[in-house]
Amino acid sequence: MHAVGENGGARVHPTAIVAPEAQLGRGVVIGPWCSVGPNVVIEDNVELISHVVVDGHTRLGAGSRYFPFSTVGMAPQDLKYKGEPTRCEVGARTVVREHVTIHRGTAVGSGLTHIGDDVLIMANAHVAHDCTLGDRVIIVNNVVMGGHVTIEDDARVMGSAAIHQFVRIGHAALVGGVAGVEADVIPYGSVLGNRARLVGLHWIWLRRNGVQSAEIHRMRKAFFTLYPKGASEDGPFAARLEVMRREFGDEPRVREILEFIDAPSRRGLVRVARGDFSTAETEGA
């Protein structure tokens, strides 16, 4: 890393404002009208295309790209925040599109907003304070999330979805467009609607990522053991959970779902959709 003014191989447009204390890696490109604060660390080959603002104790991972009018590391929208030196981190090769806002953490939270590697955040999305996004997550246009949201690796959140604070979205889950998510979504779960309801598993992701038919069949049986077709969650969920644990707990992905359900939660689980899961079956076609 090199401070501004050293021969670190960074290219800074003359209209950009970069604090002398900022640390820039090799191959960094800072385009016109960008602003970079004094506590910012920008790793190798990062590009700020233009009109990007990066502030706070923020680190941008190698090879990440930031499109016009995105802001990273700004103060959180939390009235309890009093200027504490909380942090924001964005992983390698992540792409942040136009008008995205990513806020740093809070002292009453984890103190860190973290976005993993190879993430795509599309235009106008908001990542609030203390959120954690895993690797390879895709956030589509206009998605908004409250503080302390956790989105695990490979999850997909479709356009204009709204995620309540403290919600957890599990590994490779799918949140449908314009969904209002008030509770946790199990790994590989697929949710739709406002308010969001569980309609099946993310069968397309499973197939596209090389999960064999025999394992998918077992996962399907495990899912319908926990959420019988045509049933709501008014029945003995705990009893069905134990049957699922006993009969399918040796399957690694089913075990992942069970561990997610067993983990502490502030929001509980998204409820199952009423009806015959026709949407879930269509998704698996």
Side-chain angles (χ1 to χ4, degrees), residues 80-102:
K80 299 184 294 300
Y81 181 73
K82 304 301 180 185
E84 298 90 346
T86 52
R87 297 177 294 132
C88 180
E89 296 177 352
V90 180
R93 300 171 302 279
T94 283
V95 175
V96 175
R97 293 302 305 239
E98 296 85 351
H99 295 277
V100 167
T101 53
I102 302 170

Side-chain angles (χ1 to χ4, degrees), residues 32-55:
W33 309 109
C34 292
S35 175
V36 178
N39 298 304
V40 172
V41 177
I42 300 181
E43 297 182 359
D44 295 349
N45 301 312
V46 169
E47 181 180 9
L48 313 185
I49 293 175
S50 73
H51 297 83
V52 177
V53 178
V54 187
D55 198 13

Side-chain angles (χ1 to χ4, degrees), residues 51-146:
H51 297 83
V52 177
V53 178
V54 187
D55 198 13
H57 290 77
T58 296
R59 176 179 289 269
L60 305 183
S64 53
R65 300 183 72 212
Y66 303 83
F67 281 70
F69 304 103
S70 57
T71 65
V72 185
M74 302 297 284
Q77 298 175 135
D78 186 329
L79 295 177
K80 299 184 294 300
Y81 181 73
K82 304 301 180 185
E84 298 90 346
T86 52
R87 297 177 294 132
C88 180
E89 296 177 352
V90 180
R93 300 171 302 279
T94 283
V95 175
V96 175
R97 293 302 305 239
E98 296 85 351
H99 295 277
V100 167
T101 53
I102 302 170
H103 290 172
R104 59 185 180 258
T106 62
V108 297
S110 65
L112 172 67
T113 300
H114 175 80
I115 295 172
D117 298 339
D118 301 297
V119 172
L120 172 59
I121 306 177
M122 297 187 194
N124 299 300
H126 174 61
V127 182
H129 61 86
D130 303 290
C131 288
T132 299
L133 277 60
D135 298 338
R136 301 173 301 280
V137 168
I138 296 177
I139 305 294
V140 179
N141 299 25
N142 302 307
V143 167
V144 293
M145 57 192 79

Side-chain angles (χ1 to χ4, degrees), residues 12-13 15 18 25 42 48-49 55 66 68 80 109 111 118 127 136 166 178 183 211 213 219 222 231 235 270 281:
V12 180
H13 193 275
T15 61
V18 181
I42 300 181
L48 313 185
I49 293 175
D55 198 13
Y66 303 83
K80 299 184 294 300
D118 301 297
V127 182
R136 301 173 301 280
F166 293 104
V178 203
V211 181
S213 296
M219 291 183 69
V270 166
E281 295 301 319

Side-chain angles (χ1 to χ4, degrees), residues 65-259:
R65 300 183 72 212
Y66 303 83
F67 281 70
F69 304 103
S70 57
T71 65
V72 185
M74 302 297 284
Q77 298 175 135
D78 186 329
L79 295 177
K80 299 184 294 300
Y81 181 73
K82 304 301 180 185
E84 298 90 346
T86 52
R87 297 177 294 132
C88 180
E89 296 177 352
V90 180
R93 300 171 302 279
T94 283
V95 175
V96 175
R97 293 302 305 239
E98 296 85 351
H99 295 277
V100 167
T101 53
I102 302 170
H103 290 172
R104 59 185 180 258
T106 62
V108 297
S110 65
L112 172 67
T113 300
H114 175 80
I115 295 172
D117 298 339
D118 301 297
V119 172
L120 172 59
I121 306 177
M122 297 187 194
N124 299 300
H126 174 61
V127 182
H129 61 86
D130 303 290
C131 288
T132 299
L133 277 60
D135 298 338
R136 301 173 301 280
V137 168
I138 296 177
I139 305 294
V140 179
N141 299 25
N142 302 307
V143 167
V144 293
M145 57 192 79
H148 315 275
V149 166
T150 298
I151 303 177
E152 296 182 358
D153 295 351
D154 300 301
R156 307 287 188 261
V157 183
M158 299 295 104
S160 299
I163 305 173
H164 195 285
Q165 64 183 354
F166 293 104
V167 159
R168 299 178 301 145
I169 296 177
H171 176 217
L174 174 66
V175 175
V178 203
V181 186
E182 294 184 313
D184 297 347
V185 181
I186 61 172
Y188 312 103
S190 178
V191 300
L192 297 172
N194 186 10
R195 295 308 193 244
R197 291 294 182 261
L198 185 65
V199 297
L201 294 184
H202 192 180
W203 310 113
I204 292 175
W205 185 92
L206 292 165
R207 290 194 172 100
R208 286 178 178 173
N209 284 271
V211 181
Q212 298 300 307
S213 296
E215 184 176 356
I216 291 176
H217 179 69
R218 292 274 292 172
M219 291 183 69
R220 184 187 298 270
K221 291 181 66 175
F223 178 82
F224 287 121
T225 296
L226 189 59
Y227 300 109
K229 287 187 179 184
S232 74
E233 284 191 308
D234 296 332
F237 179 82
R240 298 197 305 270
L241 181 64
E242 290 310 307
V243 173
M244 178 181 173
R245 194 188 311 275
R246 183 175 64 251
E247 295 187 3
F248 303 98
D250 57 336
E251 294 284 347
R253 288 183 174 83
V254 174
R255 187 163 60 248
E256 185 180 353
I257 295 171
L258 291 167
E259 290 171 353

